[in-house]
Amino acid sequence: MRYTAPPWLPEGHSQTIWPALMIRTPRPHYRREQWPTPDGGSIVLDFVDGKPGSPLVVLFHGLEGSSDSHYARALMHALTGLGWHGVVPHFRGCGGIDNPLPRAYHAGDADEIRWILQQLAIRHPVMAVAAVSLGGSMLLNYLACEGEQAIPRAAAAISAPLDLVAASTRLDRGLGRLLYTRMFMNTLKPKALATLQRHPGLFDGKKLRKARTFIEFDDLVTAPLHGYGTALNYWTSASSKSRLQLISCPTLILNARNDPFLPASALPAPHEASPAVQLEFPADGGHVGFVSGRFPGHINWLPQRILDFFKPHLQV
């Protein structure tokens, strides 16, 4: 996997999300469904329909992602080529619909993953699940909670923030704060303020408008709204790294060592994961980048790696 980066990219960021964002993959022919949630909310799911009897691959997006994220489009196109079913469920408030509830989504939300997979399994008993970034954290927490009862036959977590303390601390400093945290705050803060309008007094709007870092945002919004109290308690409690030994489902964990969201020192050692977990930590790839070829490159490597891992477990 080699990529020739343009000279204007910051040093150390030649394989990050930025090159991947510049590669335009056509939008798949999605079929959208809107589901009511058990607590009175609503989510949307975008499907690509495969051949009858073919397996389903579920993709959970990352923080503020969607079915239009570069990695989602690439994987859904690959599934279409195989004739398989695919779906990108959207977390609360994502996918272009409002979230009416005083809650959103968070790294430890195994319950949301469980409910979505249970509904999908009614139609598609043969299933594999991939998840990216924050969605990867949610998926790994679900797999650890479920153990041998997990629904998927195989799973893959890509660029997951396995240690949320290390990841959030890195994003709140230096170039990470300048490039990535600012990008996320541009959508997280307006959504939180819209929630505050629906539920006055939920948190301090003045402090939120001034928030510039994840610790400020998570202290004000994410942690208290989801029962964690403080950002540090949220990051510690919702980190999946400490639970990898509880996973029974065949699972690929793929993190690049040059991921700007998570330092390589925070990656787990083999003894910290169960035998069902396959750890792959390539030197390059950045954060859900994994771009190959000459500039501007292509993003075919990642969907192919995911599907190569899934195929033996789906008996295809």
Side-chain angles (χ1 to χ4, degrees):
M1 182 173 57
R2 294 180 177 273
Y3 171 64
T4 304
W8 45 263
L9 276 174
E11 185 178 358
H13 290 252
S14 64
Q15 264 283 22
T16 64
I17 195 171
W18 298 110
L21 289 175
M22 294 186 293
I23 299 170
R24 302 306 302 165
T25 303
R27 195 172 195 269
H29 297 292
Y30 287 125
R31 175 179 58 80
R32 172 159 287 198
E33 295 184 12
Q34 186 163 346
W35 292 1
T37 61
D39 57 2
S42 182
I43 63 168
V44 290
L45 302 90
D46 286 339
F47 290 82
V48 293
D49 296 316
K51 298 174 183 177
S54 62
L56 171 71
V57 173
V58 184
L59 175 65
F60 289 107
H61 62 76
L63 182 64
E64 294 301 277
S66 74
S67 61
D68 281 326
S69 296
H70 66 279
Y71 51 82
R73 289 188 177 195
L75 181 58
M76 293 301 116
H77 275 298
L79 292 172
T80 298
L82 291 174
W84 291 9
H85 302 284
V87 62
V88 184
H90 292 83
F91 298 128
R92 308 297 181 101
C94 297
I97 67 166
D98 290 333
N99 175 25
L101 301 179
R103 63 149 290 177
Y105 60 101
H106 59 90
D109 202 352
D111 289 342
E112 190 84 338
I113 300 293
R114 181 183 299 107
W115 174 73
I116 292 171
L117 295 184
Q118 286 173 343
Q119 306 313 304
L120 290 170
I122 295 171
R123 304 185 209 172
H124 299 279
V126 180
M127 177 195 305
V129 182
V132 166
S133 196
L134 191 79
S137 178
M138 296 167 71
L139 175 61
L140 292 171
N141 277 307
Y142 159 79
L143 294 172
C145 288
E146 294 297 286
E148 294 182 357
Q149 303 305 313
I151 291 172
R153 295 193 179 184
I158 314 302
S159 301
L162 304 165
D163 181 333
L164 288 166
V165 175
S168 300
T169 302
R170 168 169 279 201
L171 285 172
D172 279 349
R173 295 176 179 171
L175 197 57
R177 177 176 173 178
L178 178 65
L179 294 178
Y180 305 110
T181 302
R182 178 186 292 182
M183 175 180 70
F184 289 127
M185 291 299 158
N186 285 341
T187 57
L188 286 171
K189 289 169 64 175
K191 286 183 179 180
L193 290 169
T195 298
L196 185 62
Q197 280 192 318
R198 296 188 184 95
H199 305 277
L202 199 60
F203 47 80
D204 191 326
K206 290 183 179 179
K207 287 185 178 179
L208 176 62
R209 289 182 178 90
K210 296 178 181 178
R212 296 291 182 270
T213 63
F214 272 107
I215 194 166
E216 292 172 329
F217 183 87
D218 286 344
D219 256 333
L220 281 167
V221 181
T222 312
L225 260 58
H226 301 105
Y228 291 102
T230 66
L232 186 58
N233 187 51
Y234 162 50
W235 296 345
T236 303
S237 301
S239 290
S240 57
K241 182 178 177 180
S242 63
R243 300 187 179 97
L244 299 182
Q245 290 181 331
L246 302 176
I247 294 175
S248 297
C249 173
T251 300
L252 171 67
I253 295 181
L254 178 63
N255 284 68
R257 292 187 177 276
N258 70 339
D259 188 336
F261 288 27
L262 184 71
S265 59
L267 294 172
H271 72 271
E272 295 179 283
S274 82
V277 174
Q278 180 172 323
L279 302 174
E280 288 190 9
F281 303 142
D284 295 318
H287 189 73
V288 205
F290 301 102
V291 179
S292 303
R294 297 177 64 84
F295 179 78
H298 63 81
I299 52 175
N300 300 333
W301 183 87
L302 181 58
Q304 191 60 56
R305 179 68 197 98
I306 294 170
L307 294 176
D308 284 347
F309 181 79
F310 286 167
K311 286 176 181 178
H313 303 289
L314 298 177
Q315 298 179 346
V316 295

